[in-house]
C-alpha cells in the first residue's frame, strides 16, 4: 500500500464516481479502477459498493477513508515542514498573539537579532489555534500563544504563568472606593467584554473556563472582535474585561487595573515549536527568552529544545 493508493481511494469516495475521480487525478479511468481493486485485494475487504449509483463506500470503506484522510494530511504537513526547514537558516517566521506583544516579546526579538543579525525575522499575528495550523503547514517556525492544543506534530513549551488583572473604567465605583483588588465573584453581574470573537477556540473560552472552575457563570458578557476593542469599550465605561498583567499600562488615564484576589488566576505563555525541531535558531530564541525572564524577575521553569 502506497500513498498514491490512498489518494486514489479518497478521490473516488469524494467524487462518488471512477470517471470523475480519474479526471480529478489526471489519469484514465481503467488504471484507477485497477488500483482500487488491488487495494481491496491487499486489504481483503470490499471498500466500495460498485452496484450503487452514485458509488458508496462500505462500512469498512468508510473506516478506511477517515484514516486515509488523516495519513494524507500528515504526509502533506511533513512535506511542508521539511521544505520550510530547508530555508530555516536565512529566516525565522514567528507567530504571536497580540497580548504577548505588550510583554517581553519585543525585547526577546531584539536580543535575538543581536545573536543572529543576518537572519530575517518575519512576524505574524496569529491566535494560538492558528499558530498550530501555521506550524504544521510550514508557514511559521515558532509561535508564542496562550492556549494549549493537542497536536502530535507540535510541542508546547510552557514558558511561564502570567497574572491576570481586571480592566475597569476609571470612574467605576470599584475604583472610586479605592479597592486594590477584586474577587472574580464580583464580576459575574458586571458587563464583561471578552475577546476575540473569532476564530474560536480563543482567549474567551479560557476566561469562561476560569469562571467555570470557580463554579461561577457570568450573567452578562459580550464578545468583541479583539483586545483593543475591549479596552476601548472599557475606557468608554461600557464594561470590564480581563487581560494579562503586561497590558496594565494601556490607557492608564481612562482605565484602572486591579489584580484578582484569586492570585492563582493566570494565563500561560506558551512557546509552540514543531516536534523534533532542534535547530540552533530555536535553541537560541528559547535561551534568550529565559535571559529576559531572569532580568524581569519572572518565575519560570527551564526546558530544553
Amino acid at each position: 500500500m502506497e500513498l498514491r493508493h490512498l489518494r486514489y481511494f479518497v478521490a473516488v469516495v469524494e467524487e462518488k464516481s471512477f470517471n470523475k475521480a480519474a479526471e480529478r487525478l489526471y489519469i484514465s479511468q481503467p488504471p484507477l479502477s485497477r488500483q482500487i481493486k488491488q487495494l481491496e485485494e491487499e486489504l481483503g475487504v470490499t471498500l466500495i459498493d460498485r452496484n450503487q449509483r452514485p458509488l458508496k463506500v462500505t462500512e469498512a470503506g468508510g473506516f478506511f477513508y477517515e484514516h486515509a484522510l488523516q495519513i494524507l494530511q500528515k504526509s502533506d504537513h511533513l512535506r511542508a515542514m521539511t521544505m520550510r526547514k530547508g530555508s530555516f537558516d536565512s529566516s525565522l517566521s514567528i507567530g504571536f498573539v497580540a497580548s504577548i506583544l505588550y510583554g517581553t516579546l519585543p525585547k526577546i526579538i531584539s536580543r535575538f537579532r543581536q545573536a543572529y543579525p543576518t537572519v530575517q525575522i518575519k512576524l505574524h499575528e496569529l491566535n494560538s489555534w492558528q499558530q498550530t495550523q501555521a506550524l504544521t503547514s510550514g508557514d511559521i517556525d515558532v509561535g508564542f500563544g496562550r492556549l494549549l492544543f493537542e497536536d502530535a506534530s507540535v510541542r508546547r513549551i510552557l514558558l511561564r504563568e502570567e497574572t491576570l488583572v481586571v480592566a475597569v473604567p476609571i470612574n467605576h465605583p470599584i475604583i472610586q472606593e479605592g479597592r486594590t483588588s477584586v474577587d472574580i465573584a464580583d464580576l459575574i453581574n458586571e458587563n464583561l467584554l471578552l475577546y476575540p470573537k473569532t476564530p474560536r477556540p480563543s482567549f474567551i473560552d479560557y476566561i469562561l473556563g476560569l469562571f467555570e472552575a470557580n463554579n461561577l457563570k457570568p450573567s452578562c458578557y459580550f464578545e468583541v472582535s479583539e483586545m483593543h476593542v475591549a479596552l476601548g469599550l472599557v475606557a468608554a465605561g461600557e464594561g470590564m474585561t480581563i487581560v494579562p498583567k503586561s497590558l496594565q499600562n494601556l490607557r492608564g488615564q481612562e482605565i484602572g487595573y486591579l489584580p484578582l484576589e484569586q492570585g492563582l488566576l493566570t494565563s500561560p505563555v506558551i512557546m509552540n515549536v514543531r516536534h523534533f525541531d532542534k535547530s540552533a535558531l530555536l535553541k537560541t530564541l528559547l535561551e534568550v527568552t529565559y535571559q529576559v525572564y531572569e532580568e524581569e524577575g519572572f518565575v519560570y521553569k527551564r526546558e530544553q529544545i
Side-chain angles (χ1 to χ4, degrees):
M1 186 190 307
E2 300 177 13
L3 284 177
R4 61 184 171 85
H5 291 113
L6 303 185
R7 295 190 190 280
Y8 290 169
F9 175 72
V10 166
V12 172
V13 173
E14 293 179 348
E15 297 296 337
K16 298 182 174 62
S17 164
F18 280 99
N19 287 329
K20 291 181 180 179
E23 292 176 4
R24 167 174 157 178
L25 296 165
Y26 299 102
I27 61 176
S28 59
Q29 187 269 328
L32 175 60
S33 296
R34 287 196 296 272
Q35 292 289 334
I36 300 301
K37 190 63 177 177
Q38 290 174 5
L39 178 61
E40 290 176 319
E41 291 173 352
E42 180 179 348
L43 295 172
V45 296
T46 299
L47 300 174
I48 296 175
D49 185 350
R50 293 166 176 78
N51 296 321
Q52 299 285 334
R53 290 294 182 274
L55 296 177
K56 292 185 178 180
V57 293
T58 63
E59 184 176 350
F63 175 84
F64 187 79
Y65 170 74
E66 295 297 332
H67 286 272
L69 282 179
Q70 294 179 30
I71 293 171
L72 291 173
Q73 183 181 54
K74 289 180 179 179
S75 172
D76 291 341
H77 286 165
L78 178 60
R79 177 176 177 272
M81 289 188 291
T82 303
M83 291 174 64
R84 172 60 196 151
K85 183 68 176 174
S87 59
F88 203 26
D89 292 337
S90 59
S91 67
L92 184 70
S93 292
I94 301 174
F96 65 93
V97 296
S99 62
I100 290 179
L101 196 61
Y102 289 93
T104 57
L105 185 59
K107 184 180 291 187
I108 291 168
I109 293 174
S110 176
R111 189 163 301 182
F112 178 84
R113 288 184 190 275
Q114 296 174 18
Y116 288 95
T118 62
V119 172
Q120 181 183 11
I121 296 177
K122 301 176 183 178
L123 298 175
H124 308 268
E125 184 180 354
L126 301 168
N127 75 8
S128 300
W129 173 244
Q130 291 171 324
Q131 288 179 29
T132 298
Q133 296 174 307
L135 281 166
T136 55
S137 66
D139 291 333
I140 64 172
D141 305 302
V142 59
F144 291 88
R146 290 192 179 275
L147 299 181
L148 289 167
F149 295 103
E150 291 299 324
D151 190 294
S153 60
V154 176
R155 179 187 172 194
R156 318 290 181 181
I157 300 174
L158 177 60
L159 297 175
R160 68 186 184 97
E161 292 283 352
E162 183 174 1
T163 302
L164 293 173
V165 296
V166 182
V168 184
I170 201 69
N171 59 356
H172 192 283
I174 288 181
I175 298 293
Q176 298 301 313
E177 291 168 5
R179 292 178 57 176
T180 57
S181 64
V182 61
D183 191 291
I184 190 172
D186 296 334
L187 305 180
I188 60 174
N189 294 318
E190 298 284 347
N191 288 335
L192 282 179
L193 304 160
L194 304 183
Y195 61 90
K197 189 172 185 178
T198 58
R200 304 288 286 271
S202 70
F203 193 63
I204 285 180
D205 304 286
Y206 180 76
I207 294 299
L208 292 177
L210 292 180
F211 279 95
E212 185 177 350
N214 284 273
N215 297 314
L216 298 171
K217 184 177 181 179
S219 60
C220 185
Y221 69 89
F222 301 93
E223 299 179 4
V224 298
S225 59
E226 60 181 31
M227 174 190 66
H228 294 294
V229 174
L231 289 174
L233 290 172
V234 172
E238 293 299 310
M240 303 179 180
T241 192
I242 298 174
V243 298
K245 187 178 180 180
S246 55
L247 276 70
Q248 68 180 0
N249 292 322
L250 296 180
R251 309 189 76 136
Q253 294 182 338
E254 304 158 303
I255 298 175
Y257 295 90
L258 298 176
L260 286 156
E261 292 176 7
Q262 291 84 351
L264 296 179
L265 293 185
T266 60
S267 172
V269 178
I270 301 161
M271 183 176 179
N272 303 305
V273 297
R274 284 182 282 269
H275 259 308
F276 310 116
D277 196 339
K278 301 182 183 298
S279 73
L281 293 184
L282 290 180
K283 290 179 180 179
T284 300
L285 184 63
L286 182 59
E287 184 57 35
V288 165
T289 299
Y290 290 147
Q291 290 175 8
V292 172
Y293 281 5
E294 289 177 2
E295 293 170 3
E296 298 289 333
F298 294 148
V299 175
Y300 68 92
K301 180 180 179 182
R302 182 178 288 271
E303 291 195 37
Q304 300 292 327
I305 287 183

